[in-house]
Every structure is written in structure tokens, then in C-alpha cells.
Amino acid sequence: MSPRSLSYEEALARAVADAGVSAFGCVFVELWVMSDDDTKLTRPTGGCWMSPVFAKSLPNETLREEAWKLNENADDCPIGSGLAGTMAEEGGMTIENNVHWRQIRSLLDDPYIMKEPGQRMKRIYNIGIGIVAAVPFCFQEERGLVLYFSRSTADTDSLRHASNERCLLGSTHLIGANFAIRKARKESDERRENRRRKSLRTARKALIKQTRSLASMVMNKEDMEDLRKQIQREVEETRGVAEKLGPRRLTARLSCALHRFGKLIMKRIIISRRKWGGAKLHGPPRKSVIDCLFSGTGAFLTMLVLLKMNQSLQVDGRIGFDAGWYTSTLCIIFALTPASVGQPRHIFLAHLWNMLVGLACREIPTTGEYGLPLMWVQALAVALGISGQAYIGNLHPPATGLSMIFASGPKWTWRTIVDVMLADMVVVIISMLYLNLSEQGQYPMYWVGLGWAGSGGTRGVVKSKVRSLKRAVAPASKQSHEGLRRRPLDGDQNKTSYGAISNLPV
């Protein structure tokens, strides 16, 4: 390792450490960058920092050793796997000026999250780290993200404060620049070293051929004059080529742009081919027989209630709903209970969104000269249903079928929305009563999911917003009240103030 490369790693480590010290509540920082083949995330040398105060504050020696092991070693992981890969997939690797927060406990409980080998995510949580923020960067074709870890008991309001997030963004830009420029400097050093070696070889050959010393060549005026003329000729030739290409500069730029675009497309194709073999990860384990019987019983009872409910609605003359719509929902709730896509908020909002999308797409004409084919309308409804769920952050995969069902025919109407919402309430209530009978299971994991555990959940967020609103309104109302006290009443000859009237005895 050369001294220059060592200084690059020291500069990167110093930037990472400064980011951890500057951020509020940060105890651990990691830099993850895309590999050269764009198939996995890797942590470069110098791309980590752990607070020594945090490590020493751990209750026993075993946890302290575990903390330093996590700081020293980190295996590569593909996008979508492990803590770094999951944060990169959710937060986006190309979205700049974005801070993506997650609770590690929720990632561990979610069966849809692919865990990495070695249970690194669980080991991080076991040493007391419970909150992580991911900030992506893209600088000079180098992409990556920086993870900022905090204790499970950290104040989430202070962590997510605007000033702290600005600090995280600025520190990430500095870290990304340090990493990107390191590669460029190494290439510059290699090119400079190659030129130096080439010059030495040329000078050595000249010395051997002329059997003269370098000093004699420098002192010889004729040799130096020939050297100057040769350099001048090279400069003039380069200038002449540039002048000839002047009229065709636009065409040259366009051809260069097309060449770069073609290289980018070929690179994407090659990388895509490398990903076909998978990430070589192990699949999730199966459940025990007891857990399967417990989940199956709950699904049987809930489905029985839904079928009876649908039958009762049809007896009353209403179409109601199709109980088959809930088969996949029951699979998620009873077999993947902690999954975020099976929580009440996602069930209600995803069903509502897809039904509204289906009804809206059904208004698109499918007959006549300007009508679209029905399959196009159905495909559009499904696409809008999926993208809309992803945008509002309420994913529930089984609900997407409703967008196509409602767009396909006039059988399902606005009245069906009420029946589906009622069925959702029945499913959630039965699931809550049944699943919480288990010793280990819990449902739901959250109802609205707007807050954090350290801030009192959604109720704490609402209370905090109300207090902030009161503090913002109080000064304005006070100024308005004092203005009324100072302003005289119209038509009062004695100019009696509002305050004087209010103080008169009754």
C-alpha cells in the first residue's frame, strides 16, 4: 500500500468520523458504495466509525466486543438484502437530498425483508442500536449511501429535526466527494507514474545511443533548440486539428453523446445478465406445525364470517362483495403477521385507493371511434393502482386486483366500497382478537404508523403537532387581543376603550 493511498483512506475515515460526531444522537456510521459491476453494495476501507463512548457504555464485555466486531467487519450485500441493501432499495440510490428513517425492530419483524447471512441486522439491534437513517449520494459516477445509527432510546423528534437532517445531508455529500475523488486521484497518480517511467525509458535510450550524459544534453544549445522546435510543432499540429474540427464541433459532440449513451445501455445489459443468477441467499425458514394449525384455524374462522356476511348481503337484495377477494389478505395476516403490508392502515387505504382507481378508469370509453380497448383500460387501472400504493406508502398486494375488477364492468358500484370497508373492519377485528391469543404473536404492529416508539407513536406525533400549532397561533391571537384593547369604539364620544368597558362593574 502506497503512502498516497493510505492518506486517501485516512481522509475518508476522518470525513466519516466528523459526520458521526456532528450528527445529533449518532453512535455508528457506515459508508456503502456500489461495486464496479453494480451488483452489490460494499463497505470500503475507512468507511465506518463507531463512537468510543457508546462502545464503552455497553453493560458487559461481550456486547462491547460485538460492537467492535460490527465496526471492523461487514460483508457485501446485494440491493434489497440485509440492512444496507434494504435501506438502499427503500430510500433510493439516485434520490439526492433525501433522508430515509427506519426502526431496526420493524425491519427484523417484517418477514418480507431478506436478512443477510450472519444476522448482522439482529446483532446491531442487540447492542442497543434501534434507529437508522440512510442518505444516498451520487458523485462523479460513484453511487452509494451513508447509514447513521442511533440508540433505540434516542429522541426521534431531535433526530428528525430539520437542522439535524441538513447536517446529515451535508456530511453525506462530503463523504461521497471524498470517496469519488479518491478513485480519480489514484487514476491520475497512475497516469503520472506511467508518464514518468516512459520519460525515463526515452531518456535512457537516448543516453545509450548518444553515449552522452543528461547534463551534456542540457548544456548543448543545439539539442535544446531542437527540443523546443519539436514541442512547438506538436502544439501547432494540435491547434490545427482543433481549427479543422471547429465547424463540425456540434456533430462531434452529438456523436460523443451517442457513444456514451450506447456504452451505458451495454453496461446495463451486461449487469442485468450478471444478476440473473440471483444473490445466492438462503430462503426464509418454514413454520412449525403448531403455528401452521393456529394460523389455519384463524383463517378458517375469518373466511367463514366473510362468506356468511356476503350471503346475508345478497339475501337483502344487494350484490355486496366477493369474499374471494380476501383470500390473499388472510394469507398475509395469519401467515406473515408482522409484515407491514398486512397492517390495518395498508388494508383500508389500499382497498379504497384501488376501488377508486377502478371506478375512475371505468369512465374511459371502450366503444366508439375514440374508445380504448378494454384490456388497455384494465392494464392502466392495475398500473395506477400499483404505482399509487407505492407513492402514498400503503402497499397491500392483494388489493391491486380490485382496480382491475372495478374497471372491468358495471357490477361493482360506489355502494360496494361501503361493503368492502365493512368487511375490512370485520377482518381486522377478528384478526386482532384471535392472533393476540398467541404467546409470541401480536397484531396489529401499528394502526396508523405515523409516529415512533420513542415519541409516543401516532398519538405523540398528533400531540406534538397540536402543541406546535398552538405556539404558532398564540402570539398572533395575543397581538390581536391587545389591538382590540387599544382600539377605541366607533361612536363613543368619550373614546372609551375595550379594556375600560370590560372592566366596568356589572
Side-chain angles (χ1 to χ4, degrees):
M1 184 180 296
S2 65
R4 187 64 182 270
S5 62
L6 180 62
S7 65
Y8 295 151
E9 294 169 0
E10 289 177 347
L12 180 62
R14 190 179 301 113
V16 173
D18 290 342
V21 173
S22 302
F24 174 84
C26 183
V27 298
F28 186 33
V29 182
E30 284 189 321
L31 167 65
W32 293 86
V33 296
M34 288 296 298
S35 59
D36 294 335
D37 57 1
D38 281 357
T39 58
K40 58 187 177 181
L41 288 170
T42 182
R43 197 181 76 176
T45 304
C48 61
W49 170 85
M50 178 171 286
S51 171
V53 177
F54 166 75
K56 294 178 181 179
S57 66
L58 295 176
N60 54 62
E61 188 63 27
T62 304
L63 292 179
R64 287 191 286 270
E65 292 179 359
E66 183 69 19
W68 291 120
K69 287 180 181 178
L70 290 169
N71 183 53
E72 294 172 359
N73 302 316
D75 296 331
D76 299 343
C77 62
I79 298 292
S81 170
L83 182 57
T86 302
M87 298 299 289
E89 182 183 38
E90 293 182 352
M93 292 287 290
T94 58
I95 303 176
E96 297 187 10
N97 299 327
N98 175 51
V99 182
H100 180 62
W101 295 90
R102 283 300 298 264
Q103 291 175 301
I104 298 179
R105 172 65 185 277
S106 65
L107 295 175
L108 288 171
D109 292 339
D110 194 340
Y112 278 112
I113 300 297
M114 183 66 70
K115 312 301 188 297
E116 71 271 40
Q119 296 184 338
R120 192 168 189 271
M121 190 188 307
K122 186 176 181 180
R123 291 161 57 198
I124 291 176
Y125 180 75
N126 288 338
I127 65 173
I129 297 177
I131 301 174
V132 58
V135 185
F137 68 87
C138 183
F139 191 82
Q140 291 186 354
E141 299 183 355
E142 294 291 340
R143 295 182 298 136
L145 74 161
V146 181
L147 301 182
Y148 298 89
F149 297 88
S150 302
R151 299 175 186 263
S152 303
T153 57
D155 183 9
T156 55
D157 291 336
S158 300
L159 289 177
R160 305 186 67 186
H161 195 271
S163 59
N164 190 51
E165 291 193 346
R166 286 196 300 270
C167 178
L168 299 182
L169 291 171
S171 299
T172 301
H173 292 164
L174 181 60
I175 293 172
N178 267 279
F179 178 78
I181 201 171
R182 180 178 68 167
K183 185 176 180 180
R185 284 180 177 176
K186 284 184 177 180
E187 294 176 353
S188 179
D189 288 346
E190 292 176 358
R191 186 170 62 254
R192 190 184 298 108
E193 181 66 17
N194 292 333
R195 293 184 61 181
R196 186 185 68 83
R197 292 177 180 177
K198 184 178 180 181
S199 300
L200 289 176
R201 287 194 299 267
T202 303
R204 188 180 298 109
K205 290 180 180 179
L207 288 173
I208 294 174
K209 182 179 180 180
Q210 299 180 8
T211 64
R212 292 188 300 174
S213 64
L214 182 61
S216 63
M217 293 177 61
V218 174
M219 297 300 295
N220 193 324
K221 294 183 179 181
E222 295 180 358
D223 292 343
M224 297 303 296
E225 187 65 27
D226 292 340
L227 183 60
R228 292 193 190 96
K229 291 181 180 180
Q230 182 179 356
I231 295 174
Q232 185 66 25
R233 284 196 302 269
E234 293 178 355
V235 172
E236 291 178 356
E237 290 176 359
T238 305
R239 187 181 303 164
V241 172
E243 291 176 356
K244 291 178 181 179
L245 291 177
R248 294 177 292 176
R249 186 171 299 174
L250 180 60
T251 306
R253 289 181 179 179
L254 181 60
S255 63
C256 290
L258 292 175
H259 178 67
R260 287 195 298 269
F261 181 73
K263 289 178 63 177
L264 179 62
I265 295 299
M266 289 302 300
K267 182 181 178 182
R268 289 286 96 196
I269 294 175
I270 294 173
I271 293 173
S272 174
R273 175 62 186 88
R274 292 172 181 169
K275 294 179 180 179
W276 291 356
K280 308 299 187 297
L281 297 176
H282 192 276
R286 65 178 181 85
K287 287 194 171 186
S288 64
V289 177
I290 300 299
D291 291 339
C292 293
L293 290 175
F294 183 79
S295 301
T297 304
F300 172 77
L301 295 176
T302 309
M303 195 65 189
L304 197 62
V305 173
L306 288 174
L307 291 170
K308 182 63 178 177
M309 179 180 173
N310 188 28
Q311 185 179 10
S312 301
L313 291 174
Q314 292 178 355
V315 170
D316 294 339
R318 297 171 58 180
I319 297 178
F321 62 96
D322 189 349
W325 297 343
Y326 286 89
T327 53
S328 300
T329 299
L330 296 183
C331 177
I332 293 176
I333 293 177
F334 288 98
L336 301 169
T337 305
S340 61
V341 295
Q343 304 308 309
R345 185 191 78 181
H346 298 265
I347 295 175
F348 283 100
L349 293 183
H351 282 165
L352 180 60
W353 167 258
N354 283 279
M355 288 186 291
L356 293 177
V357 167
L359 291 174
C361 291
R362 198 167 68 191
E363 299 300 322
I364 300 176
T366 56
T367 58
E369 183 179 358
Y370 300 102
L372 288 176
L374 180 60
M375 65 175 65
W376 283 53
V377 176
Q378 292 172 334
L380 177 63
V382 172
L384 292 177
I386 295 174
S387 58
Q389 289 180 82
Y391 179 75
I392 62 179
N394 287 283
L395 286 169
H396 184 63
T400 310
L402 294 179
S403 60
M404 180 175 177
I405 293 171
F406 274 68
S408 300
K411 180 179 179 181
W412 312 109
T413 62
W414 292 92
R415 193 173 182 178
T416 312
I417 297 179
V418 179
D419 298 333
V420 172
M421 292 291 103
L422 182 60
D424 288 344
M425 292 178 59
V426 171
V427 169
V428 169
I429 292 174
I430 295 177
S431 303
M432 179 184 64
L433 296 175
Y434 181 79
L435 289 173
N436 289 322
L437 296 176
S438 173
E439 184 178 357
Q440 297 179 350
Q442 180 179 354
Y443 184 84
M445 303 301 290
Y446 56 86
W447 285 96
V448 182
L450 297 180
W452 298 74
S455 61
T458 303
R459 184 178 300 177
V461 172
V462 174
K463 289 183 179 179
S464 177
K465 296 296 183 182
V466 171
R467 286 195 299 267
S468 301
L469 183 62
K470 287 182 178 179
R471 285 195 297 267
V473 173
S477 61
K478 184 177 180 181
Q479 292 177 1
S480 176
H481 183 68
E482 290 181 353
L484 288 174
R485 291 173 63 92
R486 291 191 298 267
R487 188 175 61 201
L489 297 175
D490 295 336
D492 191 352
Q493 297 179 357
N494 296 326
K495 304 297 182 182
T496 306
S497 67
Y498 172 81
I501 292 178
S502 62
N503 294 328
L504 290 177
V506 179

